[in-house]
Amino acid sequence: FAAGGEPTRLLFFRQSREVLVDRGSAYEQPNGADAELVMSTGVVEHQKGRVVYFYRAQPAQAVQAASVHTDLSFGVVGPNSLEHMQVTLSQLYMPLLTQAAHRWKPDATSNDARQEFFSTLARSADTIGEAVGTLNSGFMLRRPDKAQDVDSKAAAFSKAAGEPETVLALERVVEEWCSETEALLAFRDTDRQEPDDAGPELEFEYWRNRTSKLNGIADQLKGRDHRVAMSVLGMAKSKVHKRWKGLDAAISDACNEAKDNSRYLSTLDKYLEPLVGGGTPAAVAEALPGLMNAIKMMYTVSRFYNTTERLTGLFGRITNKIISTSKLYLHAGDPSTSLWQLDAHQLVVRLRECIALCKAYREQYWLTKDKLAKQPDGKHFDLPEETIFGKSERFSSRLGQLVDLFTTVGQFRALASHRVEGMAELMSIYDAAVANMISKPYELLDYDKLAFEEDRLSFDASIREVERLLVRFINASFETISSTDASLRVLQQLQAVLDRPLLKDDINSKLVVVFHNYGLDLETVRRMYEKQKGAPPTVRNVPPVTGAITWARQLMRRIEEPMLKFQANSGLMNTKEAKKIVRTYNRIARTVVEFETLWHMAWAKSIEASKAGIAATLLIRHPTDKKLYVNFDREILQLIREAKLLTRIGVAVPEAAMAVMLQEDKLKRYYNELSYSLDQYRAVVAQIPPVLSPLLEPHLKDFERKLHPGMVTLTWTSMNIDGYLHRVHATLFRLGDVVSKAKDLVQARIERNMWAISNMRLVDLPSDASFTLDRFVSLQERFVHEQSAVLSTRLREAEEAVAGLMKLITEYPLEPGIPGPSAEKKEEVRAYFAQLMYRAVLNCTKASLNVMKRRVGSRASGGFLFAERPFINIAVELTIPHVSTTPSLDDVQAAINRCSRAVLGASKQVAVWSSPSGRNRGGTLFDELGKDKEIVRTVLVLTGAVDGVKRRVLEHIEQFSKYEWLWTESKDAAHSSFIARDPSVEDFESELQRYVAVEDDVARIVPVQNVGIISLVMAPLKYSLRAEAAAWKTKYTQNLQVTAKKKLDLLVAWIDDVSLRLKQEIRDLGSVRFAMGVLKEVRDRERTIEQDFSPVEEIYGLLARHDHRMSREEADTVANLSSLWKKLRRQADSVADAMTAQQTRLKSELVRNVKQFAADIAQFRNDWDSNGPDTPGI
């Protein structure tokens, strides 16, 4: 792809290399050749598969690597390229272009050019589709396999002819060729099976396909294998060869016939394009003359297509296509759209166009037939016209019936659109008739459906009933209508059905009556004019001249519009009565026009007087209230409004009024801007705080000097009003800005700070909280310090704001000759704000001291319950030998005095700035506040705040002196005296109850006792008293516990000893005697055990009731004492049971032992006697 070089395209594909055979007559691939990559320009090689192509549109420009995507077009083409192209055109491009057609620019393409473009595109897609179909339906002869082994030489043919096997194989193939070819040649065009509505395109397709098949056979016979087969069979003198030679001529004749017919039929394409492409009936009718001439030429010149049968079939197919195209046109291009869904009037127009097309088709046929008849030597159209035009005649007849049907439907649809009141009944009958027709299952354009005739008769009967009711409705309507306009409106609404024969005469008679009533209306209008011409009624907000002219024109319109409608009926206007009414109309109309002219002329004369207000000055000062007002004459606005409205209704306006009207926007703008400026000026003046009015007097004078030209020199026709307004607006903006800033300084920075200071509290004493003395002092001193800092900050901000205010007012630029505010006025304003500051600090100090006074001097209710919490919490404590408070009441008073001094001390940081010299002298507000009587009185009240409750506090403390014996008497002496009386448990109980009563009395002491501002916290005292009473109790319970412990230890030791002795094993009588003794001891003690246990348990119960502390082991022993005794009893019973169980054994042993003892005694006796001391000789 070099610059200026060839080629413009390159193809790459992979297949076996083709070779040229038989002197360049064909290219074939050698057997067994390997596939290889081929680069070609597409001129010589024949591609059999997929191809990669590269194409450049500008050969003079070299292809660059950076721009290869724009210099080259490339892609892949498959073996089915034509099919792909046909699908792409028909299913991609055509739908997309059709959808986008409505967005094309209107001037880019005309409707005809756009329609021709889409028609050409559709025809191209159809042509490609037909070519694909032709290629796919080609007639293929089977290749003789044996011929591939024979070389294309005479010697090889002779050798193959001598081989029976080869000849037989070739004869079978050629016989198959003959059979297939004979069948193809035997098929005639009259043998085709086509639908009844087949169009001419099927005829064209048939001859193209037949030509393709016959040409395919001829091309295949030129191939190498076919020629080899024929040569071998010819040398073998086969009968099949002779048979094929006979078919060869027939193939040539059939091929020539098909080509000739296709060639002549192709001349009809351009004339059939509107018909085949779905064109309009007008376009089809325009192409009919050319189509008939082409058919005439083909009929007279063609060798094969000049038969009556073929020409009759062609005309029949054209008739079918005209009918199908007309149906598609009537359905608006969408066969699924019902005719009932279309607009009736447009549908009637289309129906008539289709009827005209069928008529033009017949006329063009007859005209062509007459032309042929005038040629004596030529062929004539001797065709069966019934076969050709029978369908079109029936189709035209059906279209005529549909014209009547939809004309009626259109008329009544138009009547229904007026929504005439009272026609519901007759319209329901019409709707039912239409619904009945719509519900029919057949297609209205199907002329073979005879059921349509019966349904149409039923529909006509319903319409006649509707017409009868409509006549009755018209008569009833005109009986109640008295107005000419209303009568004409009814006639206009019925205009859609006025042409129906049943209604036409009745409506004409009603028109005569209406015209007579119109004559009466003219007399009414005349009387109305005579009555109201002196003061014509006008519409609200309409000026008088326009109102009078509008009234006159309304009268004229009232008589003119009906007359114009009556003039359309020439028969009505030629009557004698009509001429009289016309003369009355002309007289009234002339009078009304003269009235309008007189009003217009009078207004034109008054224009100059109304314009005089334009020469007045812009502003004027009222002589009474001395305020400035805009000096604008309202007559000018009325003049402008009259001119505008008269122009709007078409009345000529004089040049003088037009000149004023053209200045309307300017005058209104000047008036609005001046009014706005004065209103803003008044608003600015109203915003000035009274204290600043003396300081801003020069600024107001400066602004009024800017307004002065508008009061003396400038008029509404002056040329420099815009500059004047600009200066006024600029000055007003500057003045408003100063006033706004000054007001903001006064309100937001001075008064707001003063208000905040005045509402500030220097102490924090909430009514629902009490304080300890230390917390009260630290909290209030810290709070006063913080609030003092805030107070100083706000006062400093206010002082800076006053200085900024003075600077802002002083630096305002004034006109030369206008002095600024004087020093005295400035000092007065500064003194005012200083006094405001003093009152704010004074209110703050007073309010803070009053808060303390209310809090300190509050009369809180005594006791535990209270509505307002006391001020200070102090604790009541036992400090032996007295009951006292911590802190003391004197300390409370000192803390209150300290806090009040801190409140007053906050003003020591505030300097007096009533004048510049005040700060230089170092004066503060503390000195000024000290002179205020109310503050002095409040401070004196605070210094004696505690004296009022001091006596009550001491009286309350004195009531606890009855408990002095708890800490004054000796516990040891009292206990010793008690023990000396040898007290019983009841005595101990009585003594301990005495101390329990003391504890109960102490518990009943309220935890907090409010005495005025003091809240006495009794918890420390109660704790001390309970501790003293508990010490007395402990002194007695300890001695009682020692006594009880000794008795308890003895009982437990005896039980343990007995239990241990009972555990000894019973082996003999000695152990029995021992056990019996222990059991006897237990039985003896059982009688007195309760007397032994009761004192111990009673003492320990007394100790437990009085919460005496003892060891856990001791408490468990007391609790288990009864259990130990019961356990001992069970053990004794167990030992007794064991002795009873061994009684027999022990008895036997005892008897044996007794006997043994008796024997031992006898032996001992004998031995005694024999060897005892009494024995002689010892």
mmCIF file of all heavy atoms in Angstrom, residues 399-432:
data_model
loop_
_atom_site.group_PDB
_atom_site.id
_atom_site.type_symbol
_atom_site.label_atom_id
_atom_site.label_comp_id
_atom_site.label_asym_id
_atom_site.label_seq_id
_atom_site.Cartn_x
_atom_site.Cartn_y
_atom_site.Cartn_z
ATOM 1 N N LEU A 399 -65.439 -1.549 -1.994
ATOM 2 C CA LEU A 399 -64.929 -0.246 -1.556
ATOM 3 C C LEU A 399 -66.015 0.813 -1.620
ATOM 4 O O LEU A 399 -66.107 1.692 -0.745
ATOM 5 C CB LEU A 399 -63.739 0.164 -2.426
ATOM 6 C CG LEU A 399 -62.470 -0.683 -2.307
ATOM 7 C CD1 LEU A 399 -61.357 -0.121 -3.187
ATOM 8 C CD2 LEU A 399 -61.993 -0.787 -0.875
ATOM 9 N N GLY A 400 -66.876 0.749 -2.658
ATOM 10 C CA GLY A 400 -67.968 1.705 -2.734
ATOM 11 C C GLY A 400 -68.921 1.570 -1.563
ATOM 12 O O GLY A 400 -69.420 2.569 -1.011
ATOM 13 N N GLN A 401 -69.222 0.320 -1.172
ATOM 14 C CA GLN A 401 -70.086 0.110 -0.014
ATOM 15 C C GLN A 401 -69.426 0.652 1.269
ATOM 16 O O GLN A 401 -70.094 1.236 2.136
ATOM 17 C CB GLN A 401 -70.393 -1.374 0.133
ATOM 18 C CG GLN A 401 -71.206 -1.944 -1.012
ATOM 19 C CD GLN A 401 -71.330 -3.455 -0.921
ATOM 20 O OE1 GLN A 401 -70.609 -4.095 -0.171
ATOM 21 N NE2 GLN A 401 -72.262 -4.026 -1.699
ATOM 22 N N LEU A 402 -68.124 0.465 1.379
ATOM 23 C CA LEU A 402 -67.422 0.973 2.561
ATOM 24 C C LEU A 402 -67.381 2.493 2.573
ATOM 25 O O LEU A 402 -67.361 3.117 3.654
ATOM 26 C CB LEU A 402 -65.996 0.407 2.609
ATOM 27 C CG LEU A 402 -65.884 -1.095 2.869
ATOM 28 C CD1 LEU A 402 -64.426 -1.530 2.841
ATOM 29 C CD2 LEU A 402 -66.507 -1.459 4.217
ATOM 30 N N VAL A 403 -67.361 3.119 1.381
ATOM 31 C CA VAL A 403 -67.422 4.583 1.331
ATOM 32 C C VAL A 403 -68.723 5.064 1.952
ATOM 33 O O VAL A 403 -68.743 5.997 2.781
ATOM 34 C CB VAL A 403 -67.268 5.071 -0.119
ATOM 35 C CG1 VAL A 403 -67.639 6.558 -0.209
ATOM 36 C CG2 VAL A 403 -65.843 4.886 -0.602
ATOM 37 N N ASP A 404 -69.841 4.452 1.573
ATOM 38 C CA ASP A 404 -71.121 4.829 2.174
ATOM 39 C C ASP A 404 -71.125 4.573 3.676
ATOM 40 O O ASP A 404 -71.611 5.408 4.461
ATOM 41 C CB ASP A 404 -72.258 4.036 1.494
ATOM 42 C CG ASP A 404 -72.402 4.402 0.026
ATOM 43 O OD1 ASP A 404 -71.951 5.497 -0.348
ATOM 44 O OD2 ASP A 404 -72.953 3.581 -0.735
ATOM 45 N N LEU A 405 -70.595 3.412 4.072
ATOM 46 C CA LEU A 405 -70.599 3.053 5.491
ATOM 47 C C LEU A 405 -69.807 4.055 6.318
ATOM 48 O O LEU A 405 -70.302 4.601 7.318
ATOM 49 C CB LEU A 405 -70.026 1.634 5.662
ATOM 50 C CG LEU A 405 -69.805 1.161 7.103
ATOM 51 C CD1 LEU A 405 -71.136 1.060 7.836
ATOM 52 C CD2 LEU A 405 -69.077 -0.186 7.123
ATOM 53 N N PHE A 406 -68.578 4.322 5.908
ATOM 54 C CA PHE A 406 -67.722 5.181 6.731
ATOM 55 C C PHE A 406 -68.049 6.656 6.551
ATOM 56 O O PHE A 406 -67.671 7.480 7.390
ATOM 57 C CB PHE A 406 -66.250 4.906 6.418
ATOM 58 C CG PHE A 406 -65.749 3.639 7.062
ATOM 59 C CD1 PHE A 406 -65.638 2.461 6.335
ATOM 60 C CD2 PHE A 406 -65.418 3.612 8.402
ATOM 61 C CE1 PHE A 406 -65.195 1.302 6.924
ATOM 62 C CE2 PHE A 406 -64.971 2.455 9.001
ATOM 63 C CZ PHE A 406 -64.861 1.292 8.271
ATOM 64 N N THR A 407 -68.732 7.025 5.469
ATOM 65 C CA THR A 407 -69.239 8.396 5.389
ATOM 66 C C THR A 407 -70.276 8.631 6.477
ATOM 67 O O THR A 407 -70.278 9.661 7.171
ATOM 68 C CB THR A 407 -69.841 8.645 4.003
ATOM 69 O OG1 THR A 407 -68.826 8.479 3.005
ATOM 70 C CG2 THR A 407 -70.402 10.064 3.912
ATOM 71 N N THR A 408 -71.168 7.657 6.634
ATOM 72 C CA THR A 408 -72.161 7.746 7.706
ATOM 73 C C THR A 408 -71.492 7.760 9.078
ATOM 74 O O THR A 408 -71.845 8.561 9.961
ATOM 75 C CB THR A 408 -73.128 6.558 7.604
ATOM 76 O OG1 THR A 408 -73.767 6.573 6.329
ATOM 77 C CG2 THR A 408 -74.179 6.623 8.696
ATOM 78 N N VAL A 409 -70.501 6.888 9.259
ATOM 79 C CA VAL A 409 -69.786 6.834 10.552
ATOM 80 C C VAL A 409 -69.090 8.157 10.836
ATOM 81 O O VAL A 409 -69.138 8.688 11.952
ATOM 82 C CB VAL A 409 -68.777 5.667 10.543
ATOM 83 C CG1 VAL A 409 -67.879 5.733 11.776
ATOM 84 C CG2 VAL A 409 -69.504 4.332 10.503
ATOM 85 N N GLY A 410 -68.464 8.741 9.812
ATOM 86 C CA GLY A 410 -67.778 10.008 10.013
ATOM 87 C C GLY A 410 -68.731 11.128 10.371
ATOM 88 O O GLY A 410 -68.433 11.983 11.217
ATOM 89 N N GLN A 411 -69.900 11.147 9.721
ATOM 90 C CA GLN A 411 -70.878 12.182 10.028
ATOM 91 C C GLN A 411 -71.342 12.105 11.473
ATOM 92 O O GLN A 411 -71.418 13.113 12.189
ATOM 93 C CB GLN A 411 -72.071 12.062 9.068
ATOM 94 C CG GLN A 411 -71.739 12.436 7.626
ATOM 95 C CD GLN A 411 -72.899 12.164 6.696
ATOM 96 O OE1 GLN A 411 -73.864 11.495 7.067
ATOM 97 N NE2 GLN A 411 -72.814 12.674 5.458
ATOM 98 N N PHE A 412 -71.671 10.907 11.930
ATOM 99 C CA PHE A 412 -72.182 10.775 13.292
ATOM 100 C C PHE A 412 -71.064 10.908 14.332
ATOM 101 O O PHE A 412 -71.320 11.317 15.464
ATOM 102 C CB PHE A 412 -72.918 9.443 13.442
ATOM 103 C CG PHE A 412 -74.322 9.484 12.886
ATOM 104 C CD1 PHE A 412 -74.590 9.061 11.598
ATOM 105 C CD2 PHE A 412 -75.352 9.995 13.648
ATOM 106 C CE1 PHE A 412 -75.865 9.115 11.083
ATOM 107 C CE2 PHE A 412 -76.643 10.052 13.148
ATOM 108 C CZ PHE A 412 -76.910 9.613 11.846
ATOM 109 N N ARG A 413 -69.833 10.556 13.975
ATOM 110 C CA ARG A 413 -68.725 10.819 14.900
ATOM 111 C C ARG A 413 -68.537 12.323 15.081
ATOM 112 O O ARG A 413 -68.285 12.806 16.195
ATOM 113 C CB ARG A 413 -67.432 10.194 14.372
ATOM 114 C CG ARG A 413 -67.326 8.707 14.595
ATOM 115 C CD ARG A 413 -65.986 8.190 14.107
ATOM 116 N NE ARG A 413 -65.847 6.747 14.300
ATOM 117 C CZ ARG A 413 -64.807 6.022 13.870
ATOM 118 N NH1 ARG A 413 -63.816 6.628 13.219
ATOM 119 N NH2 ARG A 413 -64.760 4.729 14.092
ATOM 120 N N ALA A 414 -68.634 13.090 13.995
ATOM 121 C CA ALA A 414 -68.527 14.543 14.103
ATOM 122 C C ALA A 414 -69.669 15.100 14.929
ATOM 123 O O ALA A 414 -69.486 16.029 15.736
ATOM 124 C CB ALA A 414 -68.520 15.166 12.708
ATOM 125 N N LEU A 415 -70.879 14.543 14.741
ATOM 126 C CA LEU A 415 -72.020 14.998 15.541
ATOM 127 C C LEU A 415 -71.817 14.684 17.015
ATOM 128 O O LEU A 415 -72.119 15.494 17.891
ATOM 129 C CB LEU A 415 -73.295 14.323 15.020
ATOM 130 C CG LEU A 415 -74.600 14.714 15.727
ATOM 131 C CD1 LEU A 415 -74.857 16.201 15.571
ATOM 132 C CD2 LEU A 415 -75.758 13.890 15.168
ATOM 133 N N ALA A 416 -71.264 13.491 17.309
ATOM 134 C CA ALA A 416 -71.028 13.112 18.712
ATOM 135 C C ALA A 416 -69.962 13.975 19.367
ATOM 136 O O ALA A 416 -69.990 14.205 20.577
ATOM 137 C CB ALA A 416 -70.644 11.643 18.791
ATOM 138 N N SER A 417 -68.986 14.473 18.577
ATOM 139 C CA SER A 417 -67.911 15.286 19.156
ATOM 140 C C SER A 417 -68.429 16.615 19.700
ATOM 141 O O SER A 417 -67.798 17.228 20.553
ATOM 142 C CB SER A 417 -66.827 15.549 18.098
ATOM 143 O OG SER A 417 -67.353 16.324 17.026
ATOM 144 N N HIS A 418 -69.602 17.098 19.213
ATOM 145 C CA HIS A 418 -70.161 18.349 19.726
ATOM 146 C C HIS A 418 -70.831 18.172 21.084
ATOM 147 O O HIS A 418 -71.143 19.175 21.740
ATOM 148 C CB HIS A 418 -71.183 18.903 18.728
ATOM 149 C CG HIS A 418 -70.561 19.385 17.450
ATOM 150 N ND1 HIS A 418 -69.785 20.518 17.371
ATOM 151 C CD2 HIS A 418 -70.595 18.876 16.188
ATOM 152 C CE1 HIS A 418 -69.376 20.697 16.131
ATOM 153 N NE2 HIS A 418 -69.850 19.713 15.383
ATOM 154 N N ARG A 419 -71.069 16.919 21.485
ATOM 155 C CA ARG A 419 -71.670 16.629 22.792
ATOM 156 C C ARG A 419 -72.963 17.434 23.002
ATOM 157 O O ARG A 419 -73.118 18.164 23.996
ATOM 158 C CB ARG A 419 -70.688 16.913 23.927
ATOM 159 C CG ARG A 419 -69.412 16.107 23.824
ATOM 160 C CD ARG A 419 -68.485 16.367 24.994
ATOM 161 N NE ARG A 419 -67.250 15.639 24.855
ATOM 162 C CZ ARG A 419 -67.078 14.367 25.216
ATOM 163 N NH1 ARG A 419 -68.096 13.699 25.746
ATOM 164 N NH2 ARG A 419 -65.921 13.762 25.053
ATOM 165 N N VAL A 420 -73.875 17.310 22.039
ATOM 166 C CA VAL A 420 -75.148 18.029 22.126
ATOM 167 C C VAL A 420 -75.993 17.392 23.214
ATOM 168 O O VAL A 420 -76.163 16.156 23.261
ATOM 169 C CB VAL A 420 -75.874 17.993 20.767
ATOM 170 C CG1 VAL A 420 -77.195 18.754 20.858
ATOM 171 C CG2 VAL A 420 -74.975 18.587 19.686
ATOM 172 N N GLU A 421 -76.502 18.227 24.100
ATOM 173 C CA GLU A 421 -77.308 17.722 25.205
ATOM 174 C C GLU A 421 -78.641 17.186 24.689
ATOM 175 O O GLU A 421 -79.300 17.794 23.844
ATOM 176 C CB GLU A 421 -77.544 18.840 26.219
ATOM 177 C CG GLU A 421 -78.276 18.391 27.468
ATOM 178 C CD GLU A 421 -78.444 19.521 28.466
ATOM 179 O OE1 GLU A 421 -77.956 20.636 28.167
ATOM 180 O OE2 GLU A 421 -79.068 19.304 29.514
ATOM 181 N N GLY A 422 -79.062 16.019 25.196
ATOM 182 C CA GLY A 422 -80.343 15.434 24.829
ATOM 183 C C GLY A 422 -80.267 14.408 23.717
ATOM 184 O O GLY A 422 -81.306 13.864 23.294
ATOM 185 N N MET A 423 -79.059 14.133 23.204
ATOM 186 C CA MET A 423 -78.918 13.184 22.095
ATOM 187 C C MET A 423 -78.399 11.836 22.564
ATOM 188 O O MET A 423 -77.929 11.027 21.755
ATOM 189 C CB MET A 423 -77.971 13.755 21.026
ATOM 190 C CG MET A 423 -78.484 15.008 20.358
ATOM 191 S SD MET A 423 -77.371 15.624 19.079
ATOM 192 C CE MET A 423 -77.352 14.227 17.967
ATOM 193 N N ALA A 424 -78.471 11.573 23.852
ATOM 194 C CA ALA A 424 -77.906 10.329 24.377
ATOM 195 C C ALA A 424 -78.620 9.103 23.809
ATOM 196 O O ALA A 424 -77.987 8.090 23.471
ATOM 197 C CB ALA A 424 -77.972 10.333 25.902
ATOM 198 N N GLU A 425 -79.958 9.180 23.688
ATOM 199 C CA GLU A 425 -80.719 8.005 23.234
ATOM 200 C C GLU A 425 -80.375 7.637 21.799
ATOM 201 O O GLU A 425 -80.046 6.478 21.498
ATOM 202 C CB GLU A 425 -82.217 8.284 23.358
ATOM 203 C CG GLU A 425 -83.080 7.118 22.901
ATOM 204 C CD GLU A 425 -84.570 7.450 22.969
ATOM 205 O OE1 GLU A 425 -84.902 8.592 23.399
ATOM 206 O OE2 GLU A 425 -85.376 6.600 22.583
ATOM 207 N N LEU A 426 -80.398 8.619 20.913
ATOM 208 C CA LEU A 426 -80.133 8.287 19.515
ATOM 209 C C LEU A 426 -78.677 7.899 19.296
ATOM 210 O O LEU A 426 -78.355 7.049 18.468
ATOM 211 C CB LEU A 426 -80.560 9.439 18.601
ATOM 212 C CG LEU A 426 -79.903 10.815 18.787
ATOM 213 C CD1 LEU A 426 -78.678 10.952 17.910
ATOM 214 C CD2 LEU A 426 -80.894 11.919 18.462
ATOM 215 N N MET A 427 -77.736 8.514 20.076
ATOM 216 C CA MET A 427 -76.327 8.136 19.937
ATOM 217 C C MET A 427 -76.083 6.740 20.478
ATOM 218 O O MET A 427 -75.192 6.029 19.999
ATOM 219 C CB MET A 427 -75.427 9.143 20.656
ATOM 220 C CG MET A 427 -75.425 10.534 20.015
ATOM 221 S SD MET A 427 -75.094 10.526 18.247
ATOM 222 C CE MET A 427 -73.457 9.825 18.210
ATOM 223 N N SER A 428 -76.862 6.316 21.469
ATOM 224 C CA SER A 428 -76.710 4.946 21.965
ATOM 225 C C SER A 428 -77.134 3.935 20.893
ATOM 226 O O SER A 428 -76.522 2.862 20.760
ATOM 227 C CB SER A 428 -77.527 4.761 23.242
ATOM 228 O OG SER A 428 -78.912 4.929 22.982
ATOM 229 N N ILE A 429 -78.196 4.276 20.120
ATOM 230 C CA ILE A 429 -78.610 3.383 19.019
ATOM 231 C C ILE A 429 -77.508 3.323 17.968
ATOM 232 O O ILE A 429 -77.169 2.246 17.455
ATOM 233 C CB ILE A 429 -79.942 3.873 18.408
ATOM 234 C CG1 ILE A 429 -81.044 3.832 19.474
ATOM 235 C CG2 ILE A 429 -80.320 3.044 17.199
ATOM 236 C CD1 ILE A 429 -82.364 4.414 18.991
ATOM 237 N N TYR A 430 -76.926 4.494 17.660
ATOM 238 C CA TYR A 430 -75.834 4.515 16.680
ATOM 239 C C TYR A 430 -74.626 3.721 17.188
ATOM 240 O O TYR A 430 -74.030 2.927 16.448
ATOM 241 C CB TYR A 430 -75.440 5.965 16.405
ATOM 242 C CG TYR A 430 -74.078 6.103 15.789
ATOM 243 C CD1 TYR A 430 -73.845 5.792 14.458
ATOM 244 C CD2 TYR A 430 -72.989 6.523 16.560
ATOM 245 C CE1 TYR A 430 -72.582 5.902 13.906
ATOM 246 C CE2 TYR A 430 -71.732 6.641 16.020
ATOM 247 C CZ TYR A 430 -71.526 6.333 14.689
ATOM 248 O OH TYR A 430 -70.283 6.424 14.146
ATOM 249 N N ASP A 431 -74.269 3.919 18.448
ATOM 250 C CA ASP A 431 -73.120 3.188 19.006
ATOM 251 C C ASP A 431 -73.364 1.686 18.983
ATOM 252 O O ASP A 431 -72.437 0.897 18.710
ATOM 253 C CB ASP A 431 -72.857 3.653 20.450
ATOM 254 C CG ASP A 431 -72.371 5.087 20.504
ATOM 255 O OD1 ASP A 431 -71.837 5.575 19.487
ATOM 256 O OD2 ASP A 431 -72.530 5.731 21.568
ATOM 257 N N ALA A 432 -74.589 1.269 19.262
ATOM 258 C CA ALA A 432 -74.886 -0.169 19.234
ATOM 259 C C ALA A 432 -74.752 -0.715 17.822
ATOM 260 O O ALA A 432 -74.230 -1.834 17.609
ATOM 261 C CB ALA A 432 -76.293 -0.410 19.771
#
